[in-house]
Amino acid sequence: MIQTWGPLVITLCYTLVACILGFSAKGRLDMSKVENWSSSGNTMGLIVMVFLTGAGNVSAYTFLGAPGWAYSKGVAALYVVVYLGFITYSSYLISPRVNRVAGKYGYRTQAEGIGARFESKGLRMLCGIVGALAVLGNSLVQIIGSGHILNVMSNGTIPMWLGELIILCAIAFYVYNSGLRAIGWTNVMQGVLMLILSITVCLFVLYTVLGSFSVSEAFKRLMEVSPEHMTLPGATGDFPPLFWTTSIIISVFSFWPQFWVWAAGGKDEDTVRKQYTYVSLFYLVMIPMLIVGFICVFAFEGYDGDTDKVALSFCMQNLPWWMVGLLGAGILAAAQSSAEPQLHTPAFTFTHDVIAPARNIPAEKEGKIQRKVFLVIVFLVAYPLALTNPAELVYILLVAYGFIGQLFPCMLGVFCWPRATKAGAIAGLVAGVIVVALCNFVWSNPCNIHAGIWGLMINFPVFIIVSLCTEPASEETLRKFFPAYIMDMLYEKK
């Protein structure tokens, strides 16, 4: 009995602990105020920021989708490791600047900052919609992953729809109460749990299958059984080098809306800069689970179920029940730590950048509305979409990256190019989003180039050409975003 239900009990106990920790995280902060629920009142220190970012980016695909791809496709799954490095680098460059303008002028969302820079309420609303929908699409990865976990842990007793609902209720309980502060506190616990368990489980699997801890021996066995797993286009032949490369490149241009919210919540620029210096070490958590996926190729050959469940299913059959329970808790930690900001950010930005500007809602009333919008997004939007289970977890993520990458030209206009204009930003964004939609849903990644790259190949030229043909923002506005010495050169008195 304990071997059958023990893993599920351990996993659910973890969720209970997360609820208690997250609910109590608000402390004395008044969460009816928009700045407290959305940005934690700029109180988050370095350790919380590192785990907020690290655990927030290491999601369900790391424990489910990534080993599933390693098992089914091979080295194509390693694109995850590479693209997170690029995201860390671009965020290191941009986030301190975000913290500066957020602290000085109160721009707490990406869309608000872009709208202020280009002096356009319409652009702010458009960026809010695009950003919220892309992040919401990414949240489906975590919600579906949570359903997989409870479904497997209960040996099929808990159906996917119920597992997803249980975890969403838990997240809604503490994020509604404590906002970004709850996300930061729970992510510290979840991050530590993920890091320890991924390494421990990998070592258990290596010893169980090979009788040693030799990773090189595992790859030698893989080469003997299925050498096509070790080269592109992979075992299934559907991940050619060009698509693999462009899937990585799109990450360079992806500064997600939650990254802006996190940067705005940091104590100061130095804290935010150090955050991205250290967070790359946390991403090592993915390597052990990818190794588990590769081992399953020769150690779990008879498996014919959902590839996203292969690592968890293998461990259920071959590891001690208590280790399986802890693994389930670790996977759930990965899913929840990413789902929290991916549900919190769309609620915040949709309220702050779409509803409030459209209806001229004052800031003192906005704080109460955004938490109601959060519940609507969780239960009436995200949950029904997750029930459709539209694709493998990693494919959902790839589609979301294509859309969020279209905001990058606007970000360059905010911090790098004073000559960029409102008209150029709107024209480029609209053109890019349309192209990405066509290259995802009409033609699937033409010429094996990621849809997001096709979008940027249209977005950037339109953005530049239209900007050069239209009037820039006022000097007063530009001085908020660009250093004084640059502005003095641009507006030098003759």
Side-chain angles (χ1 to χ4, degrees):
M1 176 69 88
I2 193 170
Q3 292 187 357
T4 303
W5 295 104
L8 178 63
V9 171
I10 292 175
T11 303
L12 292 176
C13 284
Y14 151 76
T15 302
L16 179 62
V17 172
C19 287
I20 295 171
L21 181 63
F23 186 83
S24 60
K26 73 172 184 178
R28 297 181 179 180
L29 291 178
D30 181 3
M31 289 298 161
S32 64
K33 294 183 177 180
V34 62
E35 65 272 16
N36 291 339
W37 191 81
S38 62
S39 301
S40 188
N42 296 89
T43 61
M44 294 189 295
L46 179 59
I47 293 177
V48 174
M49 290 292 287
V50 168
F51 280 102
L52 176 65
T53 307
N57 285 335
V58 176
S59 61
Y61 71 81
T62 302
F63 284 82
L64 295 173
W69 266 35
Y71 170 78
S72 63
K73 301 180 185 298
V75 294
L78 293 176
Y79 97 95
V80 176
V81 181
V82 182
Y83 88 64
L84 278 177
F86 281 114
I87 288 178
T88 301
Y89 180 68
S90 59
S91 298
Y92 175 86
L93 297 176
I94 296 174
S95 292
R97 299 185 180 190
V98 171
N99 181 268
R100 185 187 313 152
V101 297
K104 191 171 182 180
Y105 302 107
Y107 304 142
R108 299 195 173 277
T109 67
Q110 184 182 49
E112 182 180 19
I114 293 172
R117 156 64 181 87
F118 290 103
E119 302 175 333
S120 172
K121 182 190 292 187
L123 179 59
R124 175 183 176 180
M125 295 172 67
L126 180 61
C127 290
I129 293 171
V130 172
L133 291 179
V135 177
L136 191 60
N138 200 354
S139 74
L140 300 184
V141 176
Q142 325 314 328
I143 300 169
I144 295 169
S146 300
H148 282 320
I149 297 162
L150 296 187
N151 177 257
V152 174
M153 285 293 175
S154 65
N155 296 297
T157 302
I158 298 178
M160 285 283 293
W161 68 267
L162 181 57
E164 293 170 3
L165 182 60
I166 290 172
I167 300 306
L168 279 176
C169 287
I171 293 172
F173 171 71
Y174 57 81
V175 174
Y176 178 87
N177 185 70
S178 303
L180 188 65
R181 197 174 176 89
I183 298 171
W185 281 33
T186 55
N187 275 18
V188 172
M189 176 188 70
Q190 291 160 345
V192 172
L193 186 63
M194 282 187 277
L195 191 59
I196 293 173
L197 286 176
S198 67
I199 297 172
T200 304
V201 167
C202 181
L203 293 176
F204 261 84
V205 171
L206 280 169
Y207 193 80
T208 300
V209 174
L210 302 174
S212 70
F213 300 116
S214 174
V215 175
S216 62
E217 180 62 28
F219 281 99
K220 286 179 182 178
R221 290 278 297 275
L222 180 61
M223 281 293 292
E224 295 171 0
V225 173
S226 182
E228 59 269 22
H229 272 78
M230 301 297 291
T231 59
L232 295 175
T236 55
D238 60 352
F239 218 96
L242 188 57
F243 184 59
W244 191 83
T245 303
T246 53
S247 295
I248 291 171
I249 291 175
I250 190 62
S251 68
V252 180
F253 305 106
S254 298
F255 189 83
W256 290 82
Q258 64 264 35
F259 292 1
W260 186 296
V261 174
W262 296 342
K267 284 184 177 180
D268 49 47
E269 292 180 50
D270 190 52
T271 298
V272 173
R273 189 174 291 106
K274 288 180 179 178
Q275 162 196 0
Y276 285 101
T277 303
Y278 299 130
V279 77
S280 56
L281 296 174
F282 183 83
Y283 292 150
L284 293 174
V285 70
M286 294 182 300
I287 303 298
M289 293 310 300
L290 284 168
I291 293 173
V292 171
F294 285 122
I295 291 173
C296 287
V297 174
F298 57 84
F300 206 28
E301 293 183 88
Y303 180 74
D304 59 356
D306 191 329
T307 57
D308 286 331
K309 299 179 183 179
V310 64
L312 187 55
S313 298
F314 176 82
C315 293
M316 287 280 288
Q317 295 185 22
N318 295 279
L319 297 189
W321 68 269
W322 55 270
M323 176 54 68
V324 175
L326 291 174
L327 174 61
I331 300 175
L332 204 54
Q336 285 185 225
S337 63
S338 295
E340 294 159 3
Q342 289 166 5
L343 294 170
H344 168 271
T345 300
F348 174 35
T349 195
F350 194 76
T351 304
H352 190 60
D353 300 313
V354 181
I355 297 176
R359 301 184 62 183
N360 295 316
I361 297 173
E364 58 270 18
K365 293 184 179 180
E366 186 183 324
K368 296 180 180 179
I369 295 174
Q370 67 185 354
R371 292 203 287 173
K372 295 177 182 178
V373 171
F374 170 73
L375 294 179
V376 171
I377 286 178
V378 169
F379 294 110
L380 298 183
V381 181
Y383 179 58
L385 287 174
L387 291 178
T388 65
N389 197 10
E392 286 183 326
L393 300 186
V394 182
Y395 274 124
I396 299 174
L397 186 68
L398 284 171
V399 172
Y401 265 99
F403 284 102
I404 204 65
Q406 303 313 305
L407 292 177
F408 191 73
C410 293
M411 291 296 294
L412 288 180
V414 171
F415 294 117
C416 301
W417 192 32
R419 187 62 182 81
T421 70
K422 171 180 68 175
I426 293 174
L429 178 59
V430 171
V433 168
I434 291 173
V435 170
V436 171
L438 291 174
C439 291
N440 269 308
F441 307 119
V442 179
W443 313 291
S444 181
N445 303 304
C447 302
N448 292 320
I449 295 175
H450 191 286
I453 298 299
W454 283 112
L456 286 175
M457 285 194 287
I458 301 299
N459 189 338
F460 268 120
V462 171
F463 172 63
I464 293 170
I465 293 171
V466 175
S467 290
L468 292 176
C469 295
T470 52
E471 289 295 320
S474 66
E475 179 182 354
E476 180 184 1
T477 294
L478 293 177
R479 284 190 178 276
K480 295 180 180 179
F481 293 91
F482 297 96
Y485 74 91
I486 291 179
M487 297 307 302
D488 289 342
M489 287 190 293
L490 291 175
Y491 290 91
E492 184 178 3
K493 304 298 183 183
K494 296 184 180 179

